[in-house]
Amino acid sequence: MILEALKNLYPNASEKVLIAVKEDLEKLRGKQVSTVELVDWMDKLVVAHTINEALKIEDDSKPTCVGNESSFVYVEDSDEIND
């Protein structure tokens, strides 16, 4: 039922995005959230999940790797060290 409602509200969102939004909505059960806050939150959530899907980001808490290097690798600039 929730998934069908989300499909009607966000017809251009993928099934994967809508399922993720539905799961997040289910976490709010029993919490006091106004309708305006809920709609605003859902809009932002749909956008975030859509961008996440488009970029194919699985888990933003893990660093991405390019070759043998992590996105968290810090490389010091030798010019800055000498100044």
Side-chain angles (χ1 to χ4, degrees), residues 11-60:
N12 296 327
S14 73
E15 183 87 12
K16 184 177 176 181
V17 167
L18 295 178
I19 289 171
V21 171
K22 178 185 157 283
E23 290 170 357
D24 287 340
L25 281 172
E26 289 173 347
K27 294 175 187 175
L28 288 178
R29 285 188 189 190
K31 297 191 178 179
Q32 296 295 327
V33 180
S34 73
T35 304
V36 173
E37 290 172 324
L38 183 62
V39 170
D40 184 49
W41 178 79
M42 279 188 347
D43 286 342
K44 291 176 184 176
L45 192 58
V46 168
V47 170
H49 280 294
T50 301
I51 291 170
N52 189 30
E53 182 183 53
L55 296 175
K56 298 185 190 306
I57 298 171
E58 296 300 320
D59 183 356
D60 62 358

